[in-house]
Amino acid sequence: QSWLAGFVKGLVASMVVVPLLSWTEDDKGSVGEMSRIGVGGFDRVDNVLLELIIAVALRDEPRSAVQAVLPVLIGATRPPTLSLTTRGFAPFPFYKLAGLSDAPSRATNALAAAILRQLGVREEKVQDVLRRSVKQVVNLVLQNQGVHAVEWGDVDVLVAECGTRVLKTVLQEMRRLRSDPSYFEQGTPMGSEVLEWLQETNLHSYTPIFVHHHLDSLEYVAGLEKANLLQLFDEHEELYPRSGRKGAMGGELAKLQKAHRKLLCKTPARFYGWVLPRPDERTRPLSERLENYRD
């Protein structure tokens, strides 16, 4: 497997991309090297710039796994001193960013565009990528709050802090995704059945509340107690103030309770002339339902 194939495979499967952006005093480092692009017509495929271009493009794609870019900003290495016994870092030289090229790196952008097309990114987005200058790409990444190496005197402390920040960002993005109705419908096995049931019972306005509480299975919904239904109703009233619990059978609470009862006993089954209540098939555990499908 080539380096490029492994790099792209890892990038598209990542929720948080953590680029190390460094610039030393002699214009070395991952960003410092980019300052040579455009000088006297010089151009080449810059691997770090390629990573940044693809990461920003995928972050903005609605179906992409990439949800955030968390840069680590590193200045020149500072050797140990009398007051600082461990190796640390100088501040990242933001003032040098003005020296980056205002023109695209045609070699890097062309390779990035080819990769993004293979990943199914829209052509309109690909054309935007082709037009972005080196400076624009770096500035897009720096719009994200990152980790400043200068704030952590010791290298080992910096590594630990980066790990903590990455995990924190992942947890934030996971909470955000789980609160998204589209993820609720497509990212959970039976979330779409809950949304269907809310539509069938004219309770679709409860969707954000069910998503918030991760009620992504009608098995869970069927097991709700009276107190749970009251809580859902109270939250619904906060979102959509109406006549409160008054109005008995005609009110929102009565509608929710009735739908819940029908969910437990929806389909009538005839047995020697008697009509026996039977719960909605969708309330059964998925493991039991799958047993009915034998191929």
Side-chain angles (χ1 to χ4, degrees):
Q1 184 179 13
S2 69
W3 170 86
L4 183 59
F7 151 73
V8 173
K9 184 178 179 180
L11 191 59
V12 299
S14 300
M15 176 177 283
V16 179
V17 179
V18 186
L20 305 181
L21 304 185
S22 59
W23 200 327
T24 62
E25 295 171 351
D26 55 353
D27 290 337
K28 297 289 187 180
S30 60
V31 182
E33 293 285 348
M34 295 180 200
S35 64
R36 308 177 193 278
I37 297 175
V39 177
F42 173 75
D43 192 17
R44 64 180 173 83
V45 174
D46 185 286
N47 291 334
V48 177
L49 181 60
L50 180 68
E51 175 188 353
L52 301 183
I53 292 171
I54 297 175
V56 170
L58 292 180
R59 181 199 61 190
D60 297 337
E61 281 291 300
R63 301 292 182 186
S64 170
V66 178
Q67 300 297 317
V69 178
L70 180 69
V72 179
L73 304 171
I74 306 171
T77 303
R78 292 188 304 198
T81 63
L82 291 176
S83 59
L84 185 66
T85 58
T86 56
R87 183 165 59 96
F89 299 95
F92 183 84
F94 286 95
Y95 65 92
K96 289 189 175 184
L97 293 175
L100 294 176
S101 176
D102 287 313
S105 168
R106 297 191 182 280
T108 308
N109 289 26
L111 179 56
I115 293 171
L116 291 172
R117 286 191 181 103
Q118 290 182 351
L119 296 176
V121 175
R122 292 170 290 114
E123 184 62 28
E124 178 184 359
K125 186 71 176 179
V126 172
Q127 292 301 318
D128 288 341
V129 166
L130 287 170
R131 291 189 291 266
R132 282 178 184 161
S133 69
V134 176
K135 185 186 294 182
Q136 285 176 324
V137 173
V138 175
N139 283 334
L140 283 171
V141 173
L142 292 177
Q143 288 176 0
N144 302 272
Q145 185 177 9
V147 178
H148 293 263
V150 68
E151 297 177 3
W152 311 97
D154 183 72
V155 175
D156 293 334
V157 176
L158 170 64
V159 172
E161 173 62 17
C162 287
T164 301
R165 289 287 300 277
V166 169
L167 288 175
K168 183 179 178 180
T169 303
V170 168
L171 291 174
Q172 288 174 341
E173 293 302 322
M174 288 179 68
R175 282 193 292 268
R176 184 185 63 79
L177 281 173
R178 291 186 67 188
S179 298
D180 184 348
S182 62
Y183 173 79
F184 184 84
E185 180 178 13
Q186 302 168 16
T188 59
M190 293 172 285
S192 59
E193 291 182 344
V194 177
L195 296 182
E196 289 173 1
W197 177 74
L198 291 173
Q199 290 285 343
E200 292 168 2
T201 55
N202 198 27
L203 294 171
H204 49 81
S205 58
Y206 280 84
T207 297
I209 301 170
F210 275 58
V211 171
H212 174 72
H213 290 290
H214 311 303
L215 295 173
D216 54 5
S217 162
L218 286 180
E219 180 187 1
Y220 299 155
V221 176
L224 294 177
E225 303 288 343
K226 182 178 180 180
N228 304 134
L229 297 178
L230 288 174
Q231 180 185 348
L232 294 175
F233 169 74
D234 287 338
E235 293 182 19
H236 185 272
E237 285 296 297
E238 291 180 10
L239 284 177
Y240 312 101
R242 301 192 184 189
S243 58
R245 301 184 187 181
K246 299 178 181 179
M249 295 303 293
E252 280 293 321
L253 177 57
K255 185 167 69 172
L256 176 62
Q257 291 172 331
K258 181 179 179 182
H260 185 255
R261 286 195 300 270
K262 289 184 67 176
L263 182 64
L264 294 172
C265 307
K266 181 179 179 182
T267 308
R270 297 190 176 276
F271 180 73
Y272 291 106
W274 293 85
V275 178
L276 304 178
R278 188 171 64 191
D280 190 311
E281 173 70 13
R282 295 171 296 181
T283 62
R284 293 177 59 204
L286 187 60
S287 58
E288 293 181 9
R289 293 159 61 185
L290 290 176
E291 291 179 356
N292 295 333
Y293 298 94
R294 302 180 183 275
D295 234 330

